[in-house]
Amino acid sequence: MPPVRTLPPMPEAIAALPRDRGYPVPWVSCWANGQFIVRNTPHSGLVRRCGCTPGQGRALIGTPCADRQRRAMRQRLCGTCGRPLTSPMVFIGERDMPYSQEPALHVECAVFSLRACPHLLHHGTSVGVIIASAYGIMESRVLGFDDRGNPIRRLCPAGDGKRTGGALECLIARMPQSALRHPAEAWLAATG
Ligand SMILES: [Zn+2]
Ligand SMILES: [Zn+2]
């Protein structure tokens, strides 16, 4: 019999998320019913779209949806619950990372995510949480593909995309100088 996983106490905003196989799916995650589309837009040039509908079919947990990822970064929404962020914001990732592709989280959403997905904590010794009250935004654009079919990406300042060319894939948060960096496990023990 597979082990029964029990979920830690769940913030109300997470309990309201659509579920797959009984587990709440992070708001930013993509669902398998999307389509890879590239649209030409007046402000950002070519933009990758997805158009998936949360709650239908299977979730692609761990794969951010191109549409919701950019919305989260631009509108300062929490990647887990999708609601407006409050200060301080929490990024989970490599402790020394200068940038994050994962949107910021509420403190309580970060605590829940670290508890519900222990692999986040045991990914390596460098897993950290970065606490910030603001972040800058860069564009990650796919300029083309190499001989093996791997995308060639370039990071450029938000708004410069049309000049840089290629297709906008996601927005990247730039960690501010004032961000506080903690080992994830120690932060969880002190906060959770
Ligand atoms: Zn999607
Ligand atoms: Zn949240």
Side-chain angles (χ1 to χ4, degrees), residues 40-187:
N40 207 349
T41 67
H43 295 296
S44 302
L46 296 176
V47 176
R48 181 188 162 182
R49 302 295 309 277
C50 173
C52 70
T53 306
Q56 287 181 15
R58 281 282 136 97
L60 304 170
I61 293 177
T63 304
C65 177
D67 299 344
R68 283 189 296 283
Q69 195 275 350
R70 291 192 303 268
R71 221 176 114 197
M73 289 290 181
R74 205 172 270 135
Q75 298 179 14
R76 267 67 175 170
L77 305 177
C78 171
T80 298
C81 74
R83 299 189 185 181
L85 286 162
T86 44
S87 191
M89 305 178 277
V90 181
F91 292 93
I92 299 173
E94 297 214 358
R95 213 176 136 187
D96 301 329
M97 65 184 181
Y99 301 107
S100 176
Q101 187 181 335
E102 295 287 332
L105 310 176
H106 293 112
V107 170
E108 64 270 25
C109 292
V111 167
F112 176 84
S113 300
L114 289 168
R115 286 222 181 103
C117 311
H119 70 270
L120 288 176
L121 274 183
H122 301 293
H123 216 59
T125 49
S126 65
V127 177
V129 297
I130 299 174
I131 312 293
S133 53
Y135 59 86
I137 292 180
M138 310 280 287
E139 292 186 0
S140 174
R141 301 186 72 94
V142 176
L143 300 189
F145 296 88
D146 67 15
D147 294 344
R148 296 164 130 186
N150 298 315
I152 300 163
R153 294 190 171 89
R154 180 167 300 165
L155 218 52
C156 66
D160 268 14
K162 266 180 109 171
R163 201 167 52 196
T164 307
L168 173 60
E169 190 171 41
C170 58
L171 295 173
I172 303 287
R174 198 182 55 236
M175 302 296 106
Q177 288 282 319
S178 58
L180 300 173
R181 297 165 186 268
H182 307 279
E185 221 150 350
W187 179 80

